Amino acid sequence: MSARRTRSRKLAADIGLLTVAATFAVPLAWVVLSALDPKADVGVKAPDGITLDNFDAVLTDEITFTPMLNSLLLCGGGTLLTVVSAALAAYPLSRYKSRLNRPFMLTILFATSLPITAIMVPVYALFVRVDLIDTMQGTIFFFAASQLPFAIWLMKNFMDGVPKELEEAAWTDGASPFQSLIRIVLPLMGPGVAVVTVFSFVMMWGNFFVPFMLLLSPDQMPAAVSINDFFGSKGAIVYGQLAAFSLIYSTPVILLYVLIARRLGGGFALGGAVKG
């Protein structure tokens, strides 16, 4: 009976895992198949014929290249600012003990739970007042500010895993705290920096609401906003072109993950994020 019960549990677990896998695989299959289908529709089906016309239609400056370049500038700049600021903020929180550390970290944790829609109205009013509305730099600043709380939380916990004795040896040789951070701590927590980088970039890359609210000029819109143009005002959707654009749109995130994972030699994990 126990062996039969064990097999039943394994079968139920396998069915559950296959169901979850299918929920992810079916949309991906639709995107790939529809991008190659000249008569794509909302259903998942084998293409009526293999064609690259959908890619030819979207590979233009107005539809793809300019929005993708805007996305790279916004998300790349926001990610760089987030990672640098998070490292500088996490270092004193990790290395210097204070009664204010725990309240500050709890405040950061609370800030990560704030919905972006709850603060967008005052942020929009502030950006209008300081003349940052419809500017790339203003959107980059807000991207970084919105991701910074969780980035600090992650970076601090990764930094806690680096032995302080290594820094003390560097201080004995005359290194400053900033030099020990750059030359010792950050190189040793490469997987942590990679996790923060990828997480921040992915969250910014898929963000529709922030650039839609803060950017007004069509020539500054990123791909996350321009993809909305494929949905017609009367329900007319060109599914094949939408799928082709979606594949192109997802390519930078996949490449970033693959490049960082290969560079770290398989050490790409969230193990340090659960410490402390």
Side-chain angles (χ1 to χ4, degrees):
M1 292 294 294
S2 60
R4 183 178 300 176
R5 186 176 300 175
T6 300
R7 287 195 297 268
S8 299
R9 290 179 178 177
K10 288 183 178 180
L11 180 61
D14 291 340
I15 293 175
L17 291 175
L18 288 174
T19 303
V20 173
T23 59
F24 287 94
V26 171
L28 292 177
W30 178 88
V31 171
V32 175
L33 295 175
S34 297
L36 301 174
D37 192 349
K39 299 179 180 180
D41 54 27
V42 72
V44 180
K45 61 183 180 65
D48 295 334
I50 304 299
T51 180
L52 297 178
D53 291 343
N54 293 323
F55 290 94
D56 291 336
V58 300
L59 288 176
T60 63
D61 290 337
E62 183 180 358
I63 297 177
T64 298
F65 296 126
T66 299
M68 290 288 287
L69 178 60
N70 293 336
S71 292
L72 290 173
L73 292 175
L74 287 173
C75 301
T79 300
L80 178 63
L81 185 58
T82 299
V83 173
V84 172
S85 301
L88 294 177
Y91 183 73
L93 291 172
S94 175
R95 290 302 187 252
Y96 302 103
K97 304 303 179 183
S98 171
R99 291 181 298 176
L100 299 178
N101 281 13
R102 181 174 175 79
F104 183 77
M105 293 301 295
L106 292 177
T107 302
I108 288 178
L109 185 62
F110 170 75
T112 62
S113 64
L114 289 175
I116 201 71
T117 53
I119 60 176
M120 183 51 68
V121 172
V123 166
Y124 186 89
L126 174 64
F127 273 43
V128 171
R129 185 176 292 263
V130 299
D131 201 23
L132 282 177
I133 201 71
D134 196 28
T135 61
M136 298 288 282
Q137 62 269 25
T139 308
I140 290 174
F141 289 150
F142 186 74
F143 265 152
S146 62
Q147 296 302 320
L148 196 55
F150 192 66
I152 293 175
W153 183 274
L154 274 179
M155 193 77 75
K156 188 263 182 187
N157 287 318
F158 278 113
M159 204 170 287
D160 288 343
V162 179
K164 190 176 180 180
E165 291 76 12
L166 298 176
E167 291 179 79
E168 293 174 347
W171 295 341
T172 303
D173 293 335
S176 65
F178 182 75
Q179 289 175 326
S180 65
L181 170 64
I182 299 299
R183 298 182 180 181
I184 297 176
V185 177
L186 291 181
L188 290 176
M189 52 176 290
V193 177
V195 168
V196 175
T197 300
V198 173
F199 177 83
S200 301
F201 187 86
V202 170
M203 295 301 292
M204 296 177 192
W205 189 261
N207 195 308
F208 168 84
F209 188 66
V210 170
F212 180 75
M213 292 295 297
L214 298 182
L215 296 174
L216 306 178
S217 302
D219 59 339
Q220 295 192 99
M221 291 296 178
V225 178
S226 66
I227 196 173
N228 189 54
D229 296 338
F230 289 98
F231 297 88
S233 59
K234 296 183 180 180
I237 304 174
V238 185
Y239 290 104
Q241 295 181 17
L242 174 62
F245 184 85
S246 299
L247 284 177
I248 299 171
Y249 175 60
S250 60
T251 301
V253 174
I254 297 174
L255 290 178
L256 176 65
Y257 180 86
V258 171
L259 290 175
I260 290 182
R262 284 188 175 182
R263 187 172 183 83
L264 293 177
F268 189 61
L270 280 167
V274 298
K275 180 179 175 60

